[in-house]
Short mmCIF file of all heavy atoms in Angstrom, two decimals:
data_model
loop_
_atom_site.label_atom_id
_atom_site.label_comp_id
_atom_site.label_asym_id
_atom_site.label_seq_id
_atom_site.Cartn_x
_atom_site.Cartn_y
_atom_site.Cartn_z
N ILE A 102 -7.16 17.33 -10.52
CA ILE A 102 -8.50 17.58 -10.00
C ILE A 102 -8.96 16.36 -9.20
O ILE A 102 -8.33 15.29 -9.25
CB ILE A 102 -9.53 17.89 -11.12
CG1 ILE A 102 -9.67 16.71 -12.07
CG2 ILE A 102 -9.12 19.15 -11.87
CD1 ILE A 102 -10.86 16.83 -13.02
N VAL A 103 -10.05 16.55 -8.47
CA VAL A 103 -10.61 15.48 -7.65
C VAL A 103 -12.06 15.28 -8.09
O VAL A 103 -12.75 16.25 -8.41
CB VAL A 103 -10.56 15.84 -6.15
CG1 VAL A 103 -11.23 14.77 -5.30
CG2 VAL A 103 -9.11 16.05 -5.69
N PHE A 104 -12.47 14.02 -8.14
CA PHE A 104 -13.86 13.70 -8.45
C PHE A 104 -14.39 12.85 -7.30
O PHE A 104 -13.86 11.78 -7.03
CB PHE A 104 -13.93 12.94 -9.78
CG PHE A 104 -15.32 12.54 -10.19
CD1 PHE A 104 -16.33 13.48 -10.27
CD2 PHE A 104 -15.62 11.23 -10.51
CE1 PHE A 104 -17.62 13.12 -10.65
CE2 PHE A 104 -16.90 10.85 -10.91
CZ PHE A 104 -17.90 11.80 -10.98
N SER A 105 -15.40 13.35 -6.58
CA SER A 105 -15.82 12.65 -5.36
C SER A 105 -17.28 12.24 -5.40
O SER A 105 -18.10 12.81 -6.10
CB SER A 105 -15.56 13.52 -4.13
OG SER A 105 -16.51 14.56 -4.03
N GLY A 106 -17.57 11.20 -4.60
CA GLY A 106 -18.94 10.69 -4.49
C GLY A 106 -19.29 10.31 -3.07
O GLY A 106 -18.54 10.60 -2.12
N VAL A 109 -17.13 9.30 0.29
CA VAL A 109 -16.34 10.17 1.17
C VAL A 109 -17.20 10.71 2.31
O VAL A 109 -16.70 11.02 3.39
CB VAL A 109 -15.65 11.33 0.39
CG1 VAL A 109 -14.91 10.80 -0.82
CG2 VAL A 109 -16.63 12.41 -0.02
N GLY A 179 -9.20 21.85 -8.19
CA GLY A 179 -10.57 21.91 -7.72
C GLY A 179 -11.19 20.54 -7.64
O GLY A 179 -10.58 19.53 -7.99
N ILE A 180 -12.43 20.52 -7.17
CA ILE A 180 -13.15 19.26 -6.95
C ILE A 180 -14.48 19.30 -7.70
O ILE A 180 -15.19 20.30 -7.64
CB ILE A 180 -13.44 19.05 -5.45
CG1 ILE A 180 -12.13 19.01 -4.65
CG2 ILE A 180 -14.26 17.78 -5.22
CD1 ILE A 180 -12.33 18.87 -3.14
N VAL A 181 -14.77 18.23 -8.41
CA VAL A 181 -16.13 18.02 -8.91
C VAL A 181 -16.75 16.97 -8.00
O VAL A 181 -16.19 15.88 -7.84
CB VAL A 181 -16.15 17.53 -10.37
CG1 VAL A 181 -17.59 17.32 -10.84
CG2 VAL A 181 -15.43 18.50 -11.28
N THR A 182 -17.86 17.31 -7.36
CA THR A 182 -18.46 16.34 -6.44
C THR A 182 -19.89 16.01 -6.84
O THR A 182 -20.61 16.84 -7.40
CB THR A 182 -18.43 16.85 -4.98
OG1 THR A 182 -18.90 15.80 -4.11
CG2 THR A 182 -19.30 18.08 -4.78
N GLN A 183 -20.27 14.77 -6.55
CA GLN A 183 -21.65 14.35 -6.75
C GLN A 183 -22.43 14.50 -5.46
O GLN A 183 -23.62 14.21 -5.41
CB GLN A 183 -21.70 12.88 -7.19
CG GLN A 183 -20.94 12.62 -8.48
CD GLN A 183 -20.71 11.13 -8.71
OE1 GLN A 183 -21.56 10.43 -9.26
NE2 GLN A 183 -19.57 10.64 -8.28
N HIS A 189 -16.95 19.35 1.44
CA HIS A 189 -15.68 19.82 0.89
C HIS A 189 -15.48 21.31 1.21
O HIS A 189 -14.39 21.73 1.59
CB HIS A 189 -15.64 19.62 -0.64
CG HIS A 189 -15.50 18.19 -1.05
ND1 HIS A 189 -14.47 17.39 -0.64
CD2 HIS A 189 -16.27 17.41 -1.86
CE1 HIS A 189 -14.59 16.18 -1.17
NE2 HIS A 189 -15.68 16.15 -1.90
N TYR A 200 -22.09 18.92 -8.75
CA TYR A 200 -22.77 18.43 -9.94
C TYR A 200 -24.26 18.16 -9.71
O TYR A 200 -25.07 18.31 -10.61
CB TYR A 200 -22.07 17.15 -10.41
CG TYR A 200 -21.87 17.09 -11.88
CD1 TYR A 200 -20.97 17.97 -12.50
CD2 TYR A 200 -22.57 16.20 -12.67
CE1 TYR A 200 -20.78 17.93 -13.86
CE2 TYR A 200 -22.38 16.16 -14.04
CZ TYR A 200 -21.49 17.02 -14.63
OH TYR A 200 -21.32 17.00 -15.97
N VAL A 272 -6.52 12.88 -12.22
CA VAL A 272 -7.76 12.95 -11.45
C VAL A 272 -7.72 11.91 -10.34
O VAL A 272 -7.36 10.76 -10.56
CB VAL A 272 -9.03 12.77 -12.34
CG1 VAL A 272 -9.04 11.44 -13.07
CG2 VAL A 272 -10.31 12.93 -11.50
N LEU A 273 -8.03 12.38 -9.15
CA LEU A 273 -8.14 11.50 -8.00
C LEU A 273 -9.64 11.22 -7.80
O LEU A 273 -10.42 12.12 -7.52
CB LEU A 273 -7.56 12.18 -6.75
CG LEU A 273 -7.53 11.36 -5.47
CD1 LEU A 273 -6.60 10.15 -5.60
CD2 LEU A 273 -7.08 12.23 -4.29
N VAL A 274 -10.01 9.96 -8.03
CA VAL A 274 -11.41 9.55 -7.90
C VAL A 274 -11.61 9.00 -6.50
O VAL A 274 -10.92 8.05 -6.10
CB VAL A 274 -11.74 8.48 -8.96
CG1 VAL A 274 -13.15 7.93 -8.75
CG2 VAL A 274 -11.59 9.05 -10.36
N VAL A 275 -12.49 9.62 -5.72
CA VAL A 275 -12.67 9.18 -4.33
C VAL A 275 -14.13 8.93 -4.00
O VAL A 275 -15.00 9.75 -4.26
CB VAL A 275 -12.08 10.22 -3.33
CG1 VAL A 275 -10.56 10.17 -3.32
CG2 VAL A 275 -12.56 11.64 -3.63
N GLY A 276 -14.38 7.76 -3.44
CA GLY A 276 -15.71 7.45 -2.90
C GLY A 276 -16.82 7.37 -3.93
O GLY A 276 -17.96 7.67 -3.61
N THR A 277 -16.48 6.95 -5.13
CA THR A 277 -17.54 6.81 -6.13
C THR A 277 -17.25 5.65 -7.07
O THR A 277 -16.11 5.43 -7.46
CB THR A 277 -17.73 8.10 -6.96
OG1 THR A 277 -18.64 7.82 -8.05
CG2 THR A 277 -16.42 8.62 -7.54
N CYS A 279 -18.47 5.58 -9.92
CA CYS A 279 -18.52 6.19 -11.26
C CYS A 279 -19.58 5.56 -12.15
O CYS A 279 -19.38 5.37 -13.34
CB CYS A 279 -17.16 6.08 -11.95
SG CYS A 279 -15.90 7.05 -11.13
N VAL A 281 -22.88 6.75 -12.13
CA VAL A 281 -23.93 7.72 -12.45
C VAL A 281 -23.44 8.67 -13.56
O VAL A 281 -22.48 9.41 -13.37
CB VAL A 281 -24.33 8.54 -11.19
CG1 VAL A 281 -25.43 9.54 -11.53
CG2 VAL A 281 -24.80 7.62 -10.08
N PRO A 283 -24.20 11.87 -16.18
CA PRO A 283 -22.97 12.10 -16.95
C PRO A 283 -21.74 12.38 -16.10
O PRO A 283 -20.64 12.49 -16.62
CB PRO A 283 -23.32 13.35 -17.76
CG PRO A 283 -24.27 14.11 -16.89
CD PRO A 283 -25.04 13.08 -16.12
N ALA A 284 -21.90 12.46 -14.76
CA ALA A 284 -20.76 12.81 -13.91
C ALA A 284 -19.61 11.82 -14.09
O ALA A 284 -18.44 12.19 -14.08
CB ALA A 284 -21.21 12.84 -12.45
N ALA A 285 -19.96 10.55 -14.28
CA ALA A 285 -18.95 9.50 -14.37
C ALA A 285 -18.06 9.65 -15.60
O ALA A 285 -17.02 9.01 -15.73
CB ALA A 285 -19.64 8.14 -14.37
N GLU A 286 -18.46 10.50 -16.50
CA GLU A 286 -17.71 10.76 -17.73
C GLU A 286 -16.40 11.51 -17.42
O GLU A 286 -15.45 11.46 -18.19
CB GLU A 286 -18.63 11.56 -18.66
CG GLU A 286 -18.15 11.92 -20.02
CD GLU A 286 -17.59 10.76 -20.84
OE1 GLU A 286 -17.96 9.59 -20.60
OE2 GLU A 286 -16.76 11.05 -21.72
N ILE A 287 -16.37 12.17 -16.26
CA ILE A 287 -15.23 13.04 -15.93
C ILE A 287 -13.87 12.31 -15.90
O ILE A 287 -12.94 12.75 -16.57
CB ILE A 287 -15.53 13.81 -14.62
CG1 ILE A 287 -16.56 14.90 -14.96
CG2 ILE A 287 -14.28 14.41 -14.01
CD1 ILE A 287 -17.26 15.51 -13.77
N PRO A 288 -13.76 11.18 -15.18
CA PRO A 288 -12.46 10.48 -15.21
C PRO A 288 -12.09 10.01 -16.62
O PRO A 288 -10.90 10.04 -16.98
CB PRO A 288 -12.66 9.27 -14.29
CG PRO A 288 -13.94 9.47 -13.58
CD PRO A 288 -14.70 10.56 -14.23
#
Side-chain angles (χ1 to χ4, degrees):
I102 62 168
V103 176
F104 179 54
S105 75
V109 310
I180 300 177
V181 180
T182 186
Q183 301 166 85
H189 288 303
Y200 223 68
V272 59
L273 184 65
V274 174
V275 286
T277 172
C279 294
V281 180
E286 183 51 26
I287 286 164

